[in-house]
Each structure stands twice: as C-alpha cells, then as structure tokens.
Amino acid sequence: MNARTGIGASLLRKEDLRFVTGRGNYVADIQRPGMAIGVFVRSPHAHARLLSIDTTAAKAMPGVVGIYTGADLDADGVGGLPCAWPVTGKGNTPSKEPVHPALARGKVRHVGDPVAFVVADTMVQAKNAAEAVVVEYEPLPAVVGVLDALKPGATAVFDDIPDNVCVDWEVGDAAATDAAFAKAAHVARLSLVNNRLVGNPMEPRAAVAEHDPSRGSHTLWTTSQFPHIVKLLMGNFVLHLPQHKIRVVSPDVGGGFGVKQFHYAEEAVVTWAAKKALRPVKWVCERSEGFLSDAHGRDHVTEAELALDERGKFLGLRVRTIANMGGYLSTFGPNIPTNLYGLLLAGVYTTPAIYCEVKAVFTNTLPVDAYRGAGRPEATFVLERIVDVAASEMGIDKAEIRRRNMIPPDAYPYKTPVMMEYDSGDPGGCLDRALAAIDWTGFGKRRAESASRGKLRGIGLTTYIEACGLAPSRIATRLGARGGLFESATVRVHPTGDVTVLMGTHSHGQGHETTCSQIVSERLGIPPENIEVVFGDTDRVQFGLGTYGSRSAAVGGSALAKATDKVIVKGRKIAAHMLEASEEDVTFADGRFSVAGTDLSKTFQDVALMAHYPVDYPLEILEPGLEEQAFYDPVNFTFPCGAHIAEVEIDPETGVVSLVDYVAVDDVGTVINPMIVDGQIVGGIVQGVGQALFEDCVYDESSGQLLSGSFMDYCLPRADQFPQITVQTHVTPCTHNALGVKGCGEVGTIASPATVINAVVDALAHLGVNHVDMPASPNRVWRIINDAGFGQTAK
C-alpha cells in the first residue's frame, strides 16, 4: 500500500473537518419531536437520612410534565446500578457491593446524590420546578478521608458495613518479601498521597431517551465510551428490559478520560422517564453539576518500602494503600486500585519479591473509578518516587540505579512477582534516548544558570511500563470481571469496492476513524477516503466492549485486521473463479488479485462487483456478498513502556513551579499514525502534569462539601504553562497481535506525574526535602521552602 495512507503514515484526521466546522453531532445537539427537558434534584448534604420528598407544589408549576422519586422507581421494579468488576480480597472474601439506587432511597451518601428528577417543557420550567421540590433531610455526620473512615467509631457510610471497608485485597508473596527486607543493606521508606481528580472532559455528560409504545422499545442517546455495555447493564440489571428492546447510541463524544466509561444513574432514569412521560426526554449536565456527579479519580494514601542490597539492587518492595471508593461502587470501582494497580508494581525492574495490600474504603464522597491510566499512574507514582528516594539516600545517580535494576532486553518474555508476563519491551533503549535528548550530563550548567537568576532548577526521571488492552478473558473473569474482554469488527465491502467498517470500540477524540481507515487501507489497497468507519450504535454495530484502557488499536484494531484478512481470503476465491486459476495461485497485494507467474489480475473493485453481481458464479461453493466479521480475544495485555524526563524551575519567592523542558521516549509498539500517537502522548503528559502541579479535588473534612466544585477552585493546566514537549517513539512490536501495536492513549498520564514531582523534589533536595505531595501548588511549595528556612536565608 502507498506509504502515504497506510500504517506508518501521518495522515490528517478524517473526522476533524466536521469538528472544526461545527458539524459534529453530540448528544446535546439531538432534537426529538415533542422533547421535554429533565433536571435532577441533588442532595446538598454529604450524609443524611431522606425523610420525605414533597413534590405537590412543584408539580402544579407551569410546564411540568412529571416529577419522579426513588419511590416511583421502586414501584416499577427498577434495580440499583451494578458494579461490573467486583474483586476478591484476603481469605477469598468478595468485595462488598451495597445497593446503589438510581434515585436515593432512605439515605443520601454524598453531596450531589440524586433524589428526584423533574421533567418539564423547557429548561427554565424544569429548573424552577426543581427548586420548588421540598426535601426533608436529617443530616448525619460525614466521613470524607480514607484514614478517618478506618478509625474506630467512624461514621458508617452503610449501616451493614460498620468498618467502611469494601475489600481488603492483597497480591504477591508476603513471606518472600519479608525475607528480602530482612537481608537488606538499605530500606527506603515513603508515605504519599495520590490526589483526587475530576475528569472534566470538554463535553459534559448528556442523555436523550425516547420510548416507542408501538414496539415497546427504548432508544437512549448518551455520552458513553461503551454503548453496548450501557445497554447490557441498564437493560439486565436496572430497568429489566429485553436487550432487543433497547437501542443505545453514542454519537460524537467530546472527550472521555474514563469519566464516560461507566453506567450512570442519569442514563437509566432518563430512559425510564421517557416512557412514564410519554415524551422524549433530554438531560444535559451543567459543568458545576458534573463536579458533583461525574465519577472522580485516584484518591490513595500509600506507604511504600523498598529493600536494596549494598550495590543498590532491589531486593523487595512492600506497599500498603488505602483507596477511596466514595459513597457507592461505580461500574469498575474496586478493580482500579487492586488489579490495575498492584499487578503493575514491578514496573520495569527485576525486583524478586513484591507484596501489596490495598484496603478499598467507603466515604461520603462521590464514587471513584477509572480516570485516564486507571491504577497504572498510581502504581508508577509509588514505584518511581520510592526509587528516587532510594537513589538519593544511597548516593546513586538516578539513571544509574534504574539501569542496574532494569529488565534486560534478552529477558523477555519476563514474568513478574505480581502475576504479569511482559511479552516485549526495551525500557533501557528508551532511557538512553531520553537521556541524550534532554542532555542529562549537561544539567549542572543549566541548574547554575537558573541559580544565577534566583531560581531553583530540578530534573526528574521516570522509567515505566503499563498494561493495556485488558486480557485475556479467562484471566479477567478469574479476577472478577463479569464478562470477557474481546473486541469485534465488521468489514462490509460494497459493490463498488468502497468499505464500511463497523467497530465495537468507540472514538471520543482519539482519531479512530482515521486509524481504522489506515489499517484497512494498508491491507486492502484502497484509499482511506473510500472507507467509512461507524461506531457507537448498538442497532448498527455488532456487540463490542467499547474504548477504555488504551485497547482500541491493540484489541479493536486486531479484530479489524482479522476481519479484513477474512475479506481477502474470500476475495481470493472469487478472483480465482474470475481468472480461471486455482485459489492457491492467486495472490493479493496493493489492491490487486493476481495469478502468480502471469500478468493476469483483477482489481479489488472488480472482485467486489462480482461478489454482489455474480456471473457464472459457483453459488454452491461461494455465497454472494463480501462482508466479514471477526472477534479478537487477546491472549495477554500489551505493555507499552518508556522513559520520561522533566526539568522544572521554582521561584522561591512565590513557590511557582514552571515546567521548562520535557522529553518522552515511549515504546507503544507499531505506530499506525505518528501524528495521532504524538498527539495522544502529549495530551496525556499535559493531563498528568495537571495532576502533579495544578489539580486537586478537595472536600471539607467535617461537612463533606465539595470545596473545589468549579473552575474557580479547580485549576486545570493551560497551554501557556508548557514548553515544547519532545516526543519520540522506540518500537518493539507486541508479539501476540497481528498489528504489533501496544497502545498510546494513557502513557503520558502514567509517566508524567512521577516525572514532574521527581524534578520538583530534585530542585528542593538541598533543603532536605525528599517528597512533595501532589499537586505541587505554589502555596504548598512556598510553605516547604519557608519551613526549610530558605526564604529567610535568601533575604
């Protein structure tokens, strides 16, 4: 295939024209005849008994169609929201899964917990009526922090879970780890916090639902990363509807970051209300409402210990983490701080013994679930921070200590002490290239130049590995997943040779329409503009699991390659008939079927036409048509890895941290579109730096009120706060999928928080600082500097 359009080409994104010209079709854009507008009434309390809800006055207001409460849902047999991935803890004890009602019943358990749904002709009328709903609460003490939730006598979020522990989980060999520590020459210790985050995708969540009484069917348009899973969870567990009576459509979606990966109460309530109201119903989340209703991310408190011998070789790693689940279990909640965290603590190192304990804890806060990286950034942060602490305490160069402990290239496939088996990778090669790109050895001169201007300069390094494309299904189900982890694709060839691709994954900003077109273009030899890619409609697309965990190229792309190869196999049969040759003699390359050793050939378009309009066609052998479907169940995760290095300058007078240089060298396997990969990596880096320096979701410890509930209080990173980011790729292909791809959407977010904090600590190390919790905000950094006496000394 022409290198300008196939795999490896930096093809401009096909989908961008409609986005930049305002022609995208988002859920909020959808209009249906007679559509009403819905508004949720939400709890102002973090914890309270729900005594009564009086809707009498509100129902009498102009334009009100209906007002619904948890009692109405109960009367119709509506169930609670399910957790799709519970986990099993110590002693084979399953995680506790209390009921999560779509509208609160009996109690509210976080600020923003929905208690009623108002439907009216217009938004103004719905909001006015919502304000007129009278809810009587009996406020109860709230528990916000995970450490407080575990204290004796702490408020119980659920009466039947008095200790607030969802699951007490472990992985690794405790005895072997204890033995490793017993013979250590040095033990590095660190306590740290992984701060809570709010996803804040550009497009807020939204839902539009319509009921067709003639067919008894429901259609839901929703801002979802996995419409088939919403259909399955909502239909089977919540609304108890047959799957053939539900259609879920997820059109253009403006960013997800994991926030749109879950089945939310609003989707079920809007779908149910459309039938009750006898009208289509739309709900669009406002930004301030999103802070109170979109699942949050991270929120860990961790103690880590690293045992080393006298040469700085790692002997053992011990990690204890308390993870916040919030007031209910979200769709994947308990899986994130356990399986997707503990199993990655080996990193790129040959540490022989690892033991990790995690307590997942309920609190009176919004549920916590996957956020870009989902467990892997947290694991990388713990590991790369404790490695830096060990290097500083032992006086070993931070690059050198990583080299001494790194898995060598000839050791792959490499089995870690925490279950994972890495199939390929070269983190050492990534590290060498990153050190050269940043000029590691020349840092001293740059630090001196910064000092001449009164600034503190630091350099930080991270070498990481992550797991993408959750797999395989047999292992996932053993780890608690309620279903397999395959993916699907259909390749439909039209009589003209144009192609429609139906993907079970979803695109919400990653450029999948372009990437999928390039995969098909590479294999079939047709231009990308002749390829249509369809996502997100459960009535058009075969069952698929959607997009999360950087799985779309590795798992969805592999299914697409498999389906495309099946098209070629059938095409060879048809071409053999047309060319009067044996099938074994027919080859396919660059869009032509040819008879080996002759000049006889047919174009792909010729064969497509024959498939649909057969002439002297052996119908007893070949069915007409040219359409193939494939499902791909990966045999293992894919394992991107790499090295990131950052340099920062700190103004000691203000505590402001400025990122002045950043280099990322990542092994993401085969690169389908270098431009898109660079964009995904840079975007991930920016998001991770946001956590490291700016973002912090804060609740009042006594009342449970969200203090950072708007962009006035929740600081997102801005473009003018970043230097030009250097991105390079260092390819070792995945060994177990047809494309050799590994995944790139989360690597930046996984590596950058530790990289930047390592740089901040390096800048402050001469003050005796060995750790700074995220975010390294001006206030926090200024206090650290002044507590160390630097400000007074400088004056």
Side-chain angles (χ1 to χ4, degrees):
M1 183 57 208
N2 192 318
R4 292 178 299 173
T5 60
I7 290 177
S10 288
L11 196 67
L12 294 179
R13 297 190 353 159
K14 296 169 60 175
E15 49 268 71
D16 283 353
L17 179 62
R18 73 175 184 272
F19 295 145
V20 300
T21 57
R23 295 187 176 93
N25 181 37
Y26 299 92
V27 173
D29 297 324
I30 291 170
Q31 300 294 327
R32 303 300 298 168
M35 187 171 68
I37 303 299
V39 170
F40 283 90
V41 178
R42 299 185 182 274
S43 170
H45 301 284
H47 196 201
R49 288 191 179 87
L50 189 56
L51 302 180
S52 66
I53 304 174
D54 186 353
T55 63
T56 306
K59 284 180 176 178
M61 295 179 71
V64 173
V65 176
I67 300 177
Y68 311 106
T69 67
D72 298 310
L73 298 182
D74 283 354
D76 274 9
V78 174
L81 303 173
C83 174
W85 201 321
V87 299
T88 300
K90 295 177 181 177
N92 209 32
T93 304
S95 53
K96 298 180 178 68
E97 186 181 351
V99 175
H100 183 181
L103 292 175
R105 292 283 286 146
K107 260 190 180 186
V108 292
R109 293 181 170 86
H110 63 84
V111 173
D113 208 353
V115 299
F117 186 54
V118 177
V119 179
D121 291 335
T122 69
M123 175 65 76
V124 171
Q125 291 170 332
K127 284 187 172 183
N128 288 341
E131 291 181 0
V133 173
V134 179
V135 184
E136 185 181 1
Y137 299 96
E138 179 188 336
L140 299 170
V143 60
V144 171
V146 291
L147 297 180
D148 289 336
L150 292 177
K151 289 179 180 177
T155 297
V157 178
F158 293 92
D159 294 341
D160 56 347
I161 308 176
D163 62 358
N164 289 318
V165 176
C166 168
V167 66
D168 188 359
W169 181 90
E170 64 181 347
V171 69
D173 189 330
T177 304
D178 289 344
F181 274 81
K183 64 181 181 182
H186 182 80
V187 175
R189 294 180 173 86
L190 181 66
S191 298
L192 55 84
V193 173
N194 205 292
N195 45 323
R196 180 183 278 242
L197 301 174
V198 183
N200 282 311
M202 184 177 293
E203 175 206 27
R205 290 189 300 116
V208 175
E210 185 171 35
H211 178 248
D212 181 352
S214 67
R215 297 177 59 241
S217 61
H218 301 259
T219 300
L220 169 68
W221 291 266
T222 183
T223 50
S224 176
Q225 298 175 213
F226 58 2
H228 280 98
I229 304 302
V230 170
K231 174 180 175 177
L232 178 64
L233 296 179
M234 183 176 73
N236 279 24
F237 293 92
V238 186
L239 299 183
H240 309 299
L241 297 170
Q243 288 291 286
H244 67 283
K245 295 296 185 181
I246 309 172
R247 177 189 182 195
V248 176
V249 182
S250 186
D252 289 330
V253 173
F257 312 131
V259 169
K260 296 174 182 173
Q261 183 184 330
F262 322 120
H263 174 39
Y264 284 97
E266 293 87 355
E267 294 166 323
V269 172
V270 170
T271 302
W272 173 86
K275 179 179 180 181
K276 301 296 286 188
L278 304 177
R279 294 171 62 173
V281 176
K282 174 190 281 188
W283 166 77
V284 178
C285 187
E286 295 185 344
R287 182 64 65 184
S288 58
E289 185 181 17
F291 275 92
L292 298 173
S293 62
D294 295 353
H296 291 169
R298 316 289 195 247
D299 203 348
H300 291 189
V301 175
T302 294
E303 293 181 355
E305 299 172 288
L306 181 64
L308 305 93
D309 69 12
E310 64 279 355
R311 294 186 58 253
K313 287 285 288 183
F314 303 163
L315 301 176
L317 175 69
R318 186 186 289 132
V319 175
R320 299 182 181 90
T321 292
I322 306 172
N324 203 333
M325 291 289 93
Y328 304 98
L329 291 188
S330 182
T331 306
F332 300 112
N335 181 52
I336 307 306
T338 53
N339 295 319
L340 296 186
Y341 169 74
L343 304 190
L344 271 298
L345 284 170
V348 298
Y349 308 118
T350 58
T351 313
I354 299 173
Y355 180 65
C356 173
E357 296 177 286
V358 177
K359 282 187 178 179
V361 177
F362 291 110
T363 65
N364 292 119
T365 63
L366 198 63
V368 177
D369 209 315
Y371 173 72
R372 195 173 188 173
R376 288 97 79 205
E378 296 94 310
T380 299
F381 189 73
V382 171
L383 184 58
E384 291 302 299
R385 283 296 302 122
I386 194 68
V387 168
D388 251 33
V389 169
S392 296
E393 291 177 352
M394 297 187 73
I396 304 173
D397 176 80
K398 291 167 185 174
E400 175 58 26
I401 198 172
R402 288 171 167 85
R403 280 200 187 96
R404 290 182 191 179
N405 291 281
M406 197 169 285
I407 303 165
D410 60 1
Y412 292 89
Y414 181 82
K415 183 69 178 291
T416 77
V418 280
M419 295 179 60
M420 291 293 187
E421 183 171 301
Y422 307 152
D423 68 304
S424 67
D426 184 16
C430 294
L431 175 59
D432 291 341
R433 290 179 58 178
L435 294 171
I438 201 80
D439 184 18
W440 180 266
T441 57
F443 173 70
K445 292 181 180 179
R446 298 191 295 278
R447 170 173 271 173
E449 191 279 328
S450 295
S452 72
R453 294 183 283 106
K455 301 295 178 65
L456 307 177
R457 194 176 186 111
I459 191 166
L461 165 65
T462 288
T463 49
Y464 76 93
I465 196 165
E466 69 136 326
C468 297
L470 302 180
S473 292
R474 58 184 174 80
I475 299 298
T477 51
R478 288 216 310 259
L479 293 175
R482 288 172 169 165
L485 295 171
F486 63 84
E487 199 42 78
S488 65
T490 297
V491 176
R492 178 177 299 155
V493 182
H494 301 287
T496 57
D498 297 338
V499 170
T500 294
V501 171
L502 306 171
M503 293 296 297
T505 56
H506 193 276
S507 183
H508 38 275
Q510 300 95 330
H512 291 172
E513 291 178 43
T514 304
T515 302
C516 292
S517 295
Q518 288 181 255
I519 294 170
V520 175
S521 178
E522 175 83 12
R523 277 174 148 68
L524 296 184
I526 61 176
E529 57 266 26
N530 291 359
I531 302 165
E532 174 195 28
V533 181
V534 178
F535 307 91
D537 186 335
T538 63
D539 271 13
R540 291 191 66 187
V541 176
Q542 70 289 337
F543 187 88
L545 299 184
T547 291
Y548 54 87
S550 301
R551 71 188 301 269
S552 291
V555 188
S558 295
L560 177 56
K562 187 176 177 181
T564 307
D565 289 347
K566 290 168 75 173
V567 166
I568 294 170
V569 169
K570 184 173 182 181
R572 288 178 62 228
K573 297 178 187 292
I574 299 169
H577 163 71
M578 297 172 70
L579 295 167
E580 299 181 344
S582 70
E583 182 184 337
E584 291 74 20
D585 291 335
V586 175
T587 61
F588 181 72
D590 297 329
R592 298 190 75 87
F593 294 91
S594 304
V595 179
T598 76
D599 60 356
L600 300 175
S601 68
K602 293 291 182 181
T603 67
F604 181 76
Q605 289 76 16
D606 294 334
V607 170
L609 186 62
M610 174 62 75
H612 290 85
Y613 296 97
V615 177
D616 297 327
Y617 197 84
L619 295 175
E620 69 281 4
I621 300 174
L622 284 173
E623 292 182 350
L626 194 54
E627 176 176 327
E628 296 291 344
Q629 184 177 108
F631 291 81
Y632 175 72
D633 190 353
V635 299
N636 194 2
F637 290 84
T638 64
F639 297 98
C641 63
H644 288 209
I645 305 176
E647 290 190 27
V648 301
E649 275 191 345
I650 299 175
D651 182 346
E653 297 294 324
T654 63
V656 171
V657 178
S658 299
L659 183 65
V660 295
D661 201 1
Y662 199 102
V663 169
V665 180
D666 299 285
D667 175 6
V668 297
T670 301
V671 177
I672 297 172
N673 185 311
M675 180 193 69
I676 288 177
V677 167
D678 286 359
Q680 285 289 294
I681 293 173
V682 169
I685 290 168
V686 170
Q687 212 155 353
V689 173
Q691 176 176 15
L693 297 182
F694 307 110
E695 301 181 45
D696 200 13
C697 179
V698 180
Y699 283 89
D700 182 82
E701 293 183 2
S702 59
S703 68
Q705 294 296 319
L706 182 62
L707 301 180
S708 53
S710 76
F711 289 145
M712 292 294 291
D713 303 295
Y714 189 90
C715 183
L716 289 180
R718 299 162 55 104
D720 62 0
Q721 294 165 325
F722 288 83
Q724 184 67 37
I725 296 172
T726 300
V727 174
Q728 300 178 16
T729 52
H730 180 76
V731 176
T732 64
C734 174
T735 62
H736 55 78
N737 66 52
L739 298 172
V741 299
K742 296 184 178 182
C744 68
E746 295 168 297
V747 296
T749 315
I750 287 163
S752 58
T755 305
V756 170
I757 293 300
N758 283 346
V760 171
V761 173
D762 183 62
L764 302 174
H766 65 290
L767 303 178
V769 175
N770 80 335
H771 181 64
V772 176
D773 274 325
M774 299 184 289
S777 62
N779 180 62
R780 176 170 285 160
V781 172
W782 183 86
R783 288 182 180 276
I784 290 171
I785 291 170
N786 278 266
D787 287 347
F790 180 82
Q792 293 88 334
T793 303
K795 291 176 181 178

